[in-house]
Amino acid sequence: MKGWKITKPYTLKEEELVEATPSPSLAKVKITKSLITLSDVLRYKDELDGANVVLGSAGVGIVSEVESNLFGLQKGSHVYIEPTKECHECYNCKSGETSKCANFQNAGIDYDGFLSDFVAVDSGKLFLLPDVIPDVQALFIEQISLAVSVFDKLNIQKGDYLAIIGANNFGNILAQLAMYYQAVPILITTNDEDYKIAKNSGIYYVLSADDNWQKEVFSITGGHMTKSVVYIADCNVPAPKAFALASYGASVAFVGVSYKNTSVSFTQAVKKQLQIHCIGNGVSNIAASINLIANKAVDLSHLKLDTTTYQEVPKTMENLSKMLDVTGKIYETVVDIV
């Protein structure tokens, strides 16, 4: 087993990994594809703390070793690997409510991620993938699961308006799911390419940097503004913009697929008595997300993705770091491990 680790800022090294101690619940998975996200690049640039672990926050692969009849798995099974682990030490974990763990650990930050040839993982973290879901789509299961968590937390109903600030791939997925649930998304972006991608994805209300967001949302909602706003932490838009689009007493969710630091003034939120939610993962929604992809509830074909190979990961990280410095954003990169 081997994988890419950060040895110092802006430097990656391929290292041999220590094999996990065999146990009846442990499975070995050959990684076929992984995903480089903003969190990986921030760690590479030393702007995000983490352990000395293999990068890569999403991965899919083929089971190469597993105990027989374990969770329906067998050698050759096509699987998605859940990228979070419970701490098993907090009050909720010890009370049997692991889905409410107070200290979830994240792949590629707290423990070895998926920029490696193999991983050894507890079989309970593996989800069988139907043949209709290709690897690239499966890499976005966690993002779809996170989006489902947003809808659950905000209790968004049919016909509700939902303002989404940030039209990166996750914002696009969130808007598409809103339409699937028959809500009305208003997707907001300052990036021209994201605007075009959103329009090509069939999202009707997309506002650009040239629009007066508050005026447009006022018009779209008939003067009511929105009772739900989602602010995506990676959007490079001042957070108070989210509060301006919310109606009095509305819910505002802070969410993101990276752990990028964001400064927030809550003055306007206090004046409007807004309900603030912070949503960090899609735990418990993975099976539902697999069904959503299989049923084509989300069209991932329009998403902006770059591709690279396992051998080219160091050069790719260097290029992504430079891109982030120049443009303030990156798009996820699919890594072909095989």
Side-chain angles (χ1 to χ4, degrees), residues 11-88:
T11 305
L12 284 181
K13 181 181 179 182
E14 186 182 39
E15 294 190 356
E16 292 293 329
L17 308 178
V18 177
E19 295 271 1
T21 303
S23 71
S25 65
L26 204 65
K28 192 172 183 179
V29 178
K30 168 62 178 174
I31 301 297
T32 54
K33 281 186 169 55
S34 183
L35 194 68
I36 295 175
T37 65
L38 179 59
S39 288
D40 297 309
V41 180
L42 292 175
R43 289 212 58 206
Y44 177 79
K45 290 166 57 65
D46 200 29
E47 295 178 12
L48 178 65
D49 292 335
N52 180 28
V53 297
V54 174
L55 295 177
S57 55
V60 294
I62 304 296
V63 174
S64 62
E65 296 177 22
V66 68
E67 291 288 333
S68 60
N69 300 318
L70 190 63
F71 296 105
L73 296 170
Q74 58 185 351
K75 187 175 179 179
S77 294
H78 185 209
V79 294
Y80 170 77
I81 309 161
E82 184 175 3
T84 55
K85 290 181 180 179
E86 303 81 8
C87 71
H88 298 292

Side-chain angles (χ1 to χ4, degrees), residues 186-259:
I186 305 170
L187 187 58
I188 298 168
T189 181
T190 58
N191 183 276
D192 291 340
E193 186 169 15
D194 287 343
Y195 179 91
K196 294 176 183 177
I197 293 170
K199 282 295 188 181
N200 289 335
S201 299
I203 301 165
Y204 185 74
Y205 291 119
V206 186
L207 305 182
S208 71
D210 295 330
D211 292 315
N212 183 319
W213 298 345
Q214 197 166 354
K215 181 179 178 180
E216 292 293 334
V217 171
F218 183 90
S219 175
I220 292 168
T221 61
H224 297 289
M225 304 307 284
T226 59
K227 77 167 192 176
S228 298
V229 180
V230 176
Y231 176 85
I232 298 174
D234 318 330
C235 68
N236 297 323
V237 173
K241 292 285 188 181
F243 306 145
L245 304 180
S247 59
Y248 181 89
S251 294
V252 177
F254 286 82
V255 62
V257 294
S258 81
Y259 287 86

Side-chain angles (χ1 to χ4, degrees), residues 32-35 58-60 78 80 129 132-144 173 293 300-301 303-307 332-336:
T32 54
K33 281 186 169 55
S34 183
L35 194 68
V60 294
H78 185 209
Y80 170 77
L129 292 171
V132 296
I133 299 181
D135 281 0
V136 172
Q137 293 187 19
L139 289 172
F140 286 88
I141 288 173
E142 173 61 17
Q143 295 196 29
I144 295 172
I173 288 170
I293 297 176
L300 302 176
S301 64
L303 298 186
K304 171 70 174 178
L305 294 173
D306 294 317
T307 59
E332 286 99 343
T333 297
V334 176
V335 182
D336 189 357

Side-chain angles (χ1 to χ4, degrees), residues 74-207:
Q74 58 185 351
K75 187 175 179 179
S77 294
H78 185 209
V79 294
Y80 170 77
I81 309 161
E82 184 175 3
T84 55
K85 290 181 180 179
E86 303 81 8
C87 71
H88 298 292
E89 295 178 354
C90 69
Y91 176 82
N92 288 338
C93 282
K94 291 183 177 180
S95 299
E97 295 187 287
T98 54
S99 65
K100 298 179 181 178
C101 174
N103 187 31
F104 273 112
Q105 298 177 323
N106 299 281
I109 297 177
D110 305 301
Y111 65 94
D112 283 342
F114 308 111
L115 283 178
S116 59
D117 54 355
F118 288 90
V119 296
V121 61
D122 187 279
S123 299
K125 294 294 182 181
L126 299 180
F127 290 79
L128 290 168
L129 292 171
D131 293 338
V132 296
I133 299 181
D135 281 0
V136 172
Q137 293 187 19
L139 289 172
F140 286 88
I141 288 173
E142 173 61 17
Q143 295 196 29
I144 295 172
S145 299
L146 180 60
V148 173
S149 290
V150 171
F151 288 99
D152 290 343
K153 177 66 72 173
L154 299 185
N155 191 29
I156 296 169
Q157 303 296 314
K158 178 180 177 179
D160 286 350
Y161 290 99
L162 169 66
I164 303 168
I165 300 180
N168 59 6
N169 287 338
F170 174 69
N172 188 299
I173 288 170
L174 188 63
Q176 288 193 54
L177 274 185
M179 293 189 296
Y180 179 76
Y181 292 134
Q182 298 184 12
V184 184
I186 305 170
L187 187 58
I188 298 168
T189 181
T190 58
N191 183 276
D192 291 340
E193 186 169 15
D194 287 343
Y195 179 91
K196 294 176 183 177
I197 293 170
K199 282 295 188 181
N200 289 335
S201 299
I203 301 165
Y204 185 74
Y205 291 119
V206 186
L207 305 182

